[in-house]
Each structure stands twice: as C-alpha cells, then as structure tokens.
Amino acid sequence: MSDASQEQQDPVGIDELLEQVRAGYERVGPEEAATAATEGALLVDIRYAALREKDGLIPGALVVERNELEWRLDPRGSHRAPEATSHDLRVVVICNEGYASSLAVASLRALGLRRATDLTGGFQAWRAAGLPVAL
C-alpha cells in the first residue's frame, strides 16, 4: 500500500460530519439569535425561495442563497454583500431546520469568519419560539 493511500481517511457519514463541525463552535437558540441581531449580528437566511415564500422571512435577515453564501460573506471577496464588512462580524446562519446551516458555518469559518454560528432548529425553531416573521 502506498503512503498516499494510507493517509486517506475513512469516509464519514453526514451525522458524524455534523457532529465534528458543530464541535468547533457554539450554536445559538432562537432567543439568543434575536438578541444577537439587536446587538449587531447579521442574521443570514440561506433557505431556498420556495421555503421563504411558504413560511415567510425573519425581518432584517439578509437572504443569501446557499450556493452564493461564501461569495457574498467573504469580506475580501469581489462579490461580497455590503453587510460583509469584517472577518470579526458576528454571523448567524439560518436554514430551515438547522442542518445545512451547520455545514455553511464550517465553510464561513474556513474563510476566516471566526464568529460565524448557526441557529439550532433553524427557521422552524425561530417561528415556534414566537419570534417575528414577515409573510
């Protein structure tokens, strides 16, 4: 067996990958996300259009499709959103139920957004907590 093949890691399942990713940061609940937003954090909704149309939006959240997230939030990127001002920006990523957002956070942290986190339970937890939703 060659050295290269010995260095390859065994594949992991999605549940193990999520566990590994989430071990690197603290996730926030709905109330903590709402408080963070009032303190200047950027809430970023990565749900696809059909879910936003069906369930509504979090007022003040920046909507960025998942496939554009890294380009829009990289403070040094040529296609960054005006809100992406610094690597120190607190970002709370929100998907529908809190799974895809964890993987998105791993990607943002790899870009140097060290304060990126996600909402446990996603948009559905936000809505269930009775927090504001615009239809």
Side-chain angles (χ1 to χ4, degrees):
M1 191 180 287
S2 73
D3 288 338
S5 62
Q6 288 177 345
E7 291 177 16
Q8 291 179 354
Q9 295 179 346
D10 290 332
V12 297
I14 189 61
D15 293 328
E16 186 178 347
L17 179 60
L18 280 172
E19 186 177 309
Q20 290 172 5
V21 164
R22 290 172 176 167
Y25 67 95
E26 284 192 41
R27 302 176 81 204
V28 296
E31 291 81 8
E32 190 176 354
T35 299
T38 65
E39 295 171 349
L42 180 62
L43 303 183
V44 181
D45 186 343
I46 63 169
R47 294 174 300 142
Y48 54 89
L51 286 175
R52 295 191 311 267
E53 291 168 9
K54 175 180 163 265
D55 292 335
L57 298 166
I58 296 172
L62 176 66
V63 174
V64 178
E65 296 279 337
R66 173 62 189 97
N67 63 328
E68 298 178 0
L69 184 67
E70 292 81 0
W71 285 268
R72 304 292 287 149
L73 291 187
D74 179 1
R76 297 187 311 191
S78 59
H79 299 337
R80 73 173 181 81
E83 295 87 347
T85 56
S86 164
H87 285 95
D88 291 326
L89 179 66
R90 177 102 192 257
V91 176
V92 179
V93 181
I94 302 163
C95 67
N96 195 49
E97 295 181 340
Y99 295 98
S101 57
S102 295
L103 298 177
V105 166
S107 183
L108 293 177
R109 285 179 163 255
L111 286 175
L113 292 158
R114 62 179 180 76
R115 296 181 69 206
T117 188
D118 70 323
L119 175 57
T120 303
F123 178 85
Q124 297 306 323
W126 177 279
R127 185 171 64 177
L131 293 165
V133 173
L135 297 175

